Amino acid sequence: MYSLLLAIIYVAFVSLGLPDSLIGAGWPVMHRDLDVPVAFAGIVTMIIAGGTILSSLASERVTRRFGAGLVTAVSVGLTAAALVGFSVSGSFWMLCLWAIPFGLGAGAVDAALNNYVALHYAARHMNWLHSFWGLGASISPFIMSYALTAELGWSSAYLIVGLIQAALTFVLLISLPLWGKVNQISPDDHTVEPSGKGSAHVPLARALRIPGVVSILVAFFAYCALETTVILWASTWLVTDRGVAAATAAAFASLFLLGITAGRFLAGFFADRVGDRQLIRGGFATVGVGVVLLALPVQTDALALTGLVLAGLGCAPIYPAIIHSTPVNFGRRNSQAIIGIQMAAAYTGSTFAPPLFGALSAWTGMWVFPLFLGALVVLGLLMSERLNRLVARRGRVEQPARTP
């Protein structure tokens, strides 16, 4: 049962990554068919982000009541319906309408599934699962490319992915009995049942007062802001500030994403031995080295291009390790609430950091790109280290005194 459910979760992570790249891949054609400006893509993504933030914050209460399995199945079904809705949208307002259930489903399933894996499976699986998410995100542009090349239209790509999500929903529904039968590992807190149901609700205000929660939220915000800023602006910086050819810049910018995907796969082989804390620390340090290479004022572009690859490899273990360490750092009964808030912080950073950098670079110039990334690296590292100190201090306080 353990292995069967794990296989289903792996497929779920691939499927979860599929929709994330569709809008970016299809928008050059979509905006013309819908007769809207290119910039209107930001409206759709903002609606999706708003839904994901809201559902992430509500995920703890919903998951505790209905269980991680049912929440995952219903949420995937919601995204499937939204994708099919995208495929039949003949106007921009319909696209915006379907973006609402898409965002709500995406946020809920992200928080529920990540917390379930953090509670029930080892660190290596968390890294490999997020690597499989990257695989799904890499596949969807090819689905869009196939649909456009075959002259099926962008709507066909959304329909294909929507049908894949619908099939996954069916698989998740019939697998519901398995979700309550997987044994928990390292059960330091007995208030959480195997199904993820039954324990008391942890209100948002109480979760935020737990020592270290604000620190990890800021660290997670900084990481996701860093990742999405590089994804959106790296090619532009290479071309405008470094004078790199556009084709070369695009190729190396894509290596950043491939570095994340490959890095998570490799990290899975030693994650259990190294531990989440060292993965986060080493990840931020590696990204920092990559950013320094980007900032060096040298004639050759080799160092800057190497820096992007290093930054991708450094980013790889940070997200999975932060999620996987949450039950250990804050207790199993608090983990669903805190992971939900972490997802909200992640989506906030992903949504607002890239346009913030765009506005900043319009004022100062693209040369500020490495400095912006460096500030996010320092912020993330400092906040994660602050959490480590708080957790260590709490462990010393809770350790029972030795009797003479």
Side-chain angles (χ1 to χ4, degrees):
M1 290 183 294
Y2 178 95
S3 299
L4 177 59
L5 182 58
L6 183 60
I8 292 171
I9 293 174
Y10 268 96
V11 174
F13 266 83
V14 175
S15 181
L16 288 177
L18 285 173
D20 290 357
S21 304
L22 277 178
I23 290 182
W27 191 249
V29 176
M30 291 172 64
H31 84 92
R32 291 199 302 268
D33 289 352
L34 299 172
D35 195 26
V36 294
V38 176
F40 273 36
I43 298 175
V44 180
T45 56
M46 287 289 286
I47 294 172
I48 293 173
T52 55
I53 291 170
L54 289 175
S55 60
S56 295
L57 293 174
S59 67
E60 188 265 349
R61 183 186 293 273
V62 175
T63 304
R64 286 189 185 280
R65 180 168 183 178
F66 298 106
L70 184 58
V71 170
T72 300
V74 172
S75 299
V76 173
L78 202 59
T79 59
L83 289 166
V84 174
F86 278 10
S87 72
V88 298
S89 296
S91 58
F92 182 72
W93 71 266
M94 292 179 65
L95 211 63
C96 292
L97 185 65
W98 285 109
I100 297 172
F102 182 90
L104 293 174
V109 69
D110 215 356
L113 206 50
N114 273 293
N115 182 63
Y116 189 86
V117 174
L119 286 172
H120 294 79
Y121 294 98
R124 63 181 181 275
H125 291 299
M126 184 66 82
N127 280 275
W128 286 336
L129 284 165
H130 281 273
S131 177
F132 272 59
W133 171 89
L135 177 63
S138 302
I139 291 173
S140 54
F142 290 101
I143 295 176
M144 181 63 73
S145 176
Y146 166 77
L148 296 177
T149 303
E151 298 184 352
L152 300 174
W154 58 267
S155 60
S156 296
Y158 279 98
L159 180 60
I160 291 170
V161 177
L163 292 176
I164 293 173
Q165 298 284 75
L168 174 62
T169 302
F170 175 75
V171 172
L172 289 169
L173 286 173
I174 63 175
S175 72
L176 285 179
L178 298 177
W179 292 75
K181 296 180 180 179
V182 174
N183 294 324
Q184 298 185 22
I185 51 178
S186 303
D188 57 88
D189 189 327
H190 298 287
T191 60
V192 179
E193 297 178 0
S195 62
K197 299 188 290 185
S199 55
H201 167 58
V202 181
L204 175 62
R206 186 197 304 171
L208 291 173
R209 287 197 298 268
I210 298 173
V213 167
V214 173
S215 297
I216 200 60
L217 292 181
V218 175
F220 212 20
F221 171 92
Y223 166 74
C224 292
L226 168 74
E227 179 185 288
T228 52
T229 300
V230 174
I231 290 172
L232 183 60
W233 292 107
S235 291
T236 304
W237 173 77
L238 286 169
V239 173
T240 60
D241 194 69
R242 301 285 307 185
V244 176
T248 304
F252 274 84
S254 68
L255 285 178
F256 173 77
L257 275 173
L258 292 175
I260 293 178
T261 303
R264 286 174 179 169
F265 179 75
L266 294 173
F269 290 103
F270 54 82
D272 294 333
R273 294 192 298 273
V274 174
D276 294 320
R277 182 177 300 182
Q278 293 299 332
L279 287 173
I280 296 169
R281 182 180 293 150
F284 274 121
T286 303
V287 178
V289 173
V291 171
V292 169
L293 293 179
L294 293 178
L296 290 176
V298 294
Q299 292 296 321
T300 178
D301 296 321
L303 288 181
L305 300 177
T306 303
L308 276 176
V309 177
L310 269 180
L313 290 171
C315 282
I318 297 175
Y319 191 115
I322 288 177
I323 296 294
H324 190 263
S325 63
T326 300
V328 175
N329 289 334
F330 303 110
R332 298 168 71 86
R333 69 175 179 176
N334 298 318
S335 64
Q336 182 64 69
I338 294 172
I339 286 179
I341 305 170
Q342 286 175 341
M343 293 295 105
Y347 289 120
T348 302
S350 300
T351 302
F352 294 105
L356 174 62
F357 174 76
L360 178 64
S361 63
W363 178 49
T364 61
M366 286 299 296
W367 62 268
V368 78
F369 180 68
L371 298 181
F372 188 85
L373 300 182
L376 292 173
V377 170
V378 171
L379 179 62
L381 184 58
L382 288 178
M383 289 297 101
S384 60
E385 289 300 314
R386 184 174 186 272
L387 170 65
N388 292 337
R389 291 194 296 272
L390 290 171
V391 171
R393 189 183 309 158
R394 185 173 67 237
R396 289 194 295 270
V397 170
E398 293 176 352
Q399 188 175 9
R402 293 182 179 178
T403 54

